[in-house]
Amino acid sequence: MIVGSVAVDTALLILKIAFLVLLYLFIWRIVRTASRDLRLPQESFILAPSREGGVATQPPPLRSGRLVVVKSAELEDGSDYMLNSSQLTIGRGGQNDIPLPNDDYASARHARFEPRQDGVWVQDLGSTNGTYLNGARLERPRRLTPGDIVRVGDTDLRFEQ
Amino acid sequence: MTLSPRNRELAFLVVVGILTAVGFASVYIARQSVVSTTSLTYAGIFLGVYLVAHLVARATVPFADPYLLPIAGLLTALGVTEIYRLDPKDAFRQAFWVIVAVALFAGTLFLLRRDYRRLETYKYIFGLSAIVLLLLPLAPGLGRTVNGARLWVGLGPLQFQPGELAKVLLIVFLAAYLREKREVLAQGRLKDFGPLLLIWGLAILVLLETRDLGGGLLYFGIFLAMLYVATARLSYVAVGLGLFLIGSVGVWKVTPHVQERVTIWLHPWTTHKVYCPSTGTPQLRQDCQSYQLVKSLYSIAHGNYGGTGLGRGTVTDLGGHALIPYANTDFIYSVIAQELGLIGASAFLLVYMVFVLRGMRIALLAGDGFSKLLAAGLTFGFALQTFIIVGGILRLIPLTGITLPFVSYGGSSVVANFVLLAGLLLVSNRANRDLLR
């Protein structure tokens, strides 16, 4: 132990410096690359508009629209559902905004319509038989354009604005 | 050169692997008389475990933030290095818990890879299970008291601290609840606060009963921060802080345990002997109540700018007894500060800050209210917990025992923080995917 103590000290000093240098490099790389991956929309993580400053600054309004029943075994043809501020869910379960209790092809929570700032989006909630947008099965959420037909189980809904 | 997020993550993980190897090599060389050659295999095992975590992330959250996993890897690796340096037996157990944590991390990502937002539907289940978890240590036969706080649940040889996991569940509940109710809450009618105050009050009562002051501060802070994110009403934060101050003074007046903490914080050293409750005889306070804190301050001071080097710090007295009691859990920061010095300890805190920065960015980018609240709550909880323990050790605030995320010895803490990490990655994945489209 005593014989090699100078060598040990040198080795440890080198390791210490290597460790600290590497640690700072690690941090620097993250901060640098992170500051470059811009395209950060000027958004806040605060949800509600501030009421402190007198004039309330409203966030851009959510897009609205409505869903018209085109063909369904359960819902009346031509009836419609408004999409304003809150999202709508559709499925076999009674807790859905658009319930389809007797549709054997619909899952309990089948799909969700969500008004966002950039439009109304439809998303499949992991249903067994899938949700179809204009005949194509949804693999990821899609933004609806007026006239789109969404099929859930045995029901066809048309999106209108 | 633009790398995909996952490739970037892999590159950073390799750097973490090198750092781990350097750390363990240093400990091994400095303490070769004490430790065995197996120490170097730890670095290898670690890299393996994180590569598995990385592959799971590749499959489940391809668009998620690339820096969080390497940062967590760096912190756990540094933690295990220091725990190993203090006691190799503990490091073995900690390494086992890291593997359990990564398995749970993978499980969480896999289960919620499609849409974590369905968690919103089960918010009351989350709220109630958080309360049940917090209550578990009080159950007769199950609960165990360590260090004056009744926080542990014992199952045979295994012990865990359910409060750590309750933190994550409570944040999920708060995110879902506040998302749903934020508009009515912003109007400020008292009756809308009912369920919220009930759950929160229960949590605080439980914490007072278990004498977990750090936990109480943490939950209250998370609650206020998330309420602010949801309603944008600074007045709530002001009222909350006011209530907190009044409550603190009240608790301080009636609880000897808290009075002692404040005394230790303000006056750790005495020049004349004062009454020492543990021995019943007069002693200098630094030899009695504030022994742990004072030894920890000496330890940090001994580190100076450059530190003693990993494995070279003084952590035992000449008789081989540990200088700082519980150095591997609550006080691990002072050991790190001694061995890496001011330069290393600052880097270490910077790593925490970068983690918080990334977390806040995820909250910023998240598209919907639940995701924003979830990311902000998880990140704030992480930041506040780090602040409470490091601030306590540095005598900025009264010291309350709480773990340092990812670094402290303790299975439940590591497991809970990896679940927290999985949550952040899920939110991030969704937000980035929506941005790219």
Side-chain angles (χ1 to χ4, degrees):
Chain A
M1 191 70 193
I2 293 158
V3 182
S5 80
V6 176
V8 165
D9 278 348
T10 321
L12 282 176
L13 185 67
I14 292 169
L15 281 176
K16 186 172 87 179
I17 293 170
F19 189 87
L20 289 177
V21 168
L22 214 53
L23 194 55
Y24 272 96
L25 271 176
F26 178 86
I27 297 166
W28 180 70
R29 285 292 307 183
I30 292 184
V31 173
R32 203 179 66 121
T33 42
S35 66
R36 277 191 315 188
D37 71 356
L38 38 110
R39 287 196 304 141
L40 226 171
Q42 291 302 308
E43 271 193 65
S44 163
F45 58 82
I46 312 282
L47 290 178
S50 165
R51 283 150 214 268
E52 308 298 321
V55 184
T57 48
Q58 293 291 334
L62 300 175
R63 293 303 178 87
S64 59
R66 62 193 186 114
L67 295 167
V68 182
V69 179
V70 181
K71 171 184 96 66
S72 173
E74 299 205 44
L75 307 167
E76 199 178 315
D77 287 359
S79 60
D80 60 355
Y81 295 89
M82 294 308 292
L83 278 159
N84 300 320
S85 54
S86 57
Q87 54 189 32
L88 292 185
T89 56
I90 183 166
R92 194 149 41 88
Q95 80 279 17
N96 290 291
D97 303 301
I98 309 175
L100 305 165
N102 300 315
D103 191 333
D104 291 339
Y105 295 102
S107 296
R109 273 166 53 78
H110 196 108
R112 169 162 60 203
F113 298 93
E114 187 185 0
R116 298 189 199 163
Q117 289 167 10
D118 58 346
V120 176
W121 292 71
V122 60
Q123 178 184 15
D124 185 74
L125 298 174
S127 65
T128 315
N129 293 316
T131 304
Y132 292 83
L133 174 60
N134 300 330
R137 187 164 178 160
L138 275 182
E139 298 294 339
R140 56 191 176 94
R142 289 276 188 188
R143 187 161 58 195
L144 292 174
T145 46
D148 279 351
I149 303 283
V150 177
R151 157 160 255 189
V152 169
D154 256 346
T155 296
D156 283 355
L157 299 162
R158 187 175 64 239
F159 175 69
E160 289 178 1
Q161 249 170 352
Chain B
M1 183 180 65
T2 45
L3 289 171
S4 80
R6 294 277 79 75
N7 287 341
R8 187 169 290 175
E9 180 178 275
L10 185 61
F12 275 89
L13 276 174
V14 169
V15 177
V16 169
I18 297 169
L19 264 167
T20 314
V22 171
F24 268 110
S26 179
V27 172
Y28 171 63
I29 293 171
R31 292 174 55 78
Q32 49 188 330
S33 54
V34 197
V35 303
S36 65
T37 43
T38 53
S39 67
L40 281 175
T41 57
Y42 272 92
I45 292 170
F46 256 77
L47 198 56
V49 167
Y50 283 107
L51 283 180
V52 171
H54 166 73
L55 288 177
V56 174
R58 213 171 249 277
T60 53
V61 285
F63 303 102
D65 190 285
Y67 306 113
L68 291 175
L69 184 63
I71 292 174
L74 176 64
L75 291 174
T76 30
L78 189 57
V80 173
T81 314
E82 286 296 0
I83 293 165
Y84 182 80
R85 183 249 174 285
L86 292 166
D87 185 352
K89 280 200 301 291
D90 287 344
F92 183 74
R93 247 177 276 164
Q94 181 78 348
F96 164 75
W97 279 113
V98 170
I99 292 169
V100 172
V102 169
L104 255 147
F105 166 85
T108 311
L109 286 185
F110 191 74
L111 270 179
L112 300 176
R113 69 189 185 286
R114 288 262 179 75
D115 191 4
Y116 60 87
R117 291 193 303 181
R118 65 193 148 124
L119 292 181
E120 240 185 308
T121 327
Y122 311 113
K123 55 178 173 294
Y124 289 106
I125 297 177
F126 280 98
L128 283 176
S129 33
I131 297 291
V132 169
L133 278 180
L134 284 173
L135 277 172
L136 265 186
L138 294 176
L142 269 178
R144 293 189 188 163
T145 306
V146 181
N147 244 349
R150 200 173 165 89
L151 287 179
W152 277 262
V153 168
L155 278 176
L158 285 178
Q159 290 198 67
F160 70 99
Q161 222 177 324
E164 294 276 356
L165 214 55
K167 174 185 75 183
V168 179
L169 297 184
L170 210 58
I171 292 172
V172 176
F173 162 75
L174 280 174
Y177 185 82
L178 289 170
R179 208 281 304 154
E180 191 188 334
K181 296 283 158 75
R182 67 187 186 86
E183 266 136 24
V184 286
L185 287 177
Q187 289 167 6
R189 283 178 312 194
L190 204 59
K191 66 167 187 172
D192 299 321
F193 284 86
L196 210 56
L197 288 175
L198 185 74
I199 295 243
W200 172 76
L202 274 172
I204 297 297
L205 262 183
V206 169
L207 293 169
L208 275 182
E209 192 58 36
T210 50
R211 305 216 298 180
D212 175 21
L213 300 171
L217 184 58
L218 180 64
Y219 290 108
F220 192 70
I222 292 173
F223 173 73
L224 275 189
M226 290 182 75
L227 192 61
Y228 176 64
V229 171
T231 61
R233 302 253 314 216
L234 265 181
S235 52
Y236 288 167
V237 180
V239 170
L241 285 179
L243 282 176
F244 176 74
L245 278 180
I246 296 169
S248 310
V249 173
V251 171
W252 173 72
K253 279 236 156 81
V254 297
T255 327
H257 178 64
V258 177
Q259 282 165 10
E260 190 184 298
R261 290 295 175 94
V262 173
T263 312
I264 293 170
W265 170 50
L266 292 174
H267 312 287
W269 286 277
T270 53
T271 48
H272 54 272
K273 294 187 174 178
V274 291
Y275 175 73
C276 173
S278 56
T279 59
T281 53
Q283 270 185 317
L284 293 174
R285 191 174 290 137
Q286 57 265 41
D287 294 333
C288 178
Q289 292 141 295
S290 53
Y291 176 83
Q292 193 183 19
L293 181 63
V294 165
K295 283 288 180 289
S296 146
L297 290 171
Y298 290 155
S299 164
I300 296 168
H302 186 57
N304 215 327
Y305 287 105
T308 55
L310 287 170
R312 286 233 134 168
T314 310
V315 295
T316 52
D317 60 17
L318 290 174
H321 301 289
L323 271 178
I324 312 171
Y326 302 101
N328 59 5
T329 55
D330 295 351
F331 279 85
I332 195 143
Y333 179 77
S334 30
V335 180
I336 291 173
Q338 182 185 171
E339 300 209 325
L340 295 179
L342 178 67
I343 298 171
S346 317
F348 185 67
L349 291 183
L350 275 176
V351 172
Y352 275 101
M353 282 171 73
V354 172
F355 189 96
V356 172
L357 210 70
R358 299 308 294 178
M360 284 302 174
R361 186 176 178 277
I362 292 170
L364 226 62
L365 292 182
D368 61 300
F370 176 65
S371 308
K372 260 187 203 306
L373 278 163
L374 188 61
L378 292 174
T379 308
F380 187 80
F382 181 87
L384 188 61
Q385 185 167 349
T386 310
F387 172 77
I388 290 173
I389 183 62
V390 176
I393 287 174
L394 298 177
R395 261 184 80 217
L396 193 65
I397 55 171
L399 179 70
T400 53
I402 198 166
T403 55
L404 187 57
F406 290 120
V407 176
S408 282
Y409 172 65
S412 13
S413 170
V414 171
V415 168
N417 282 308
F418 265 95
V419 174
L420 182 150
L421 175 69
L424 280 176
L425 288 182
L426 283 165
V427 178
S428 166
N429 180 52
R430 186 189 183 82
N432 289 348
R433 194 185 55 194
D434 288 354
L435 259 188
L436 283 176
R437 207 168 31 212

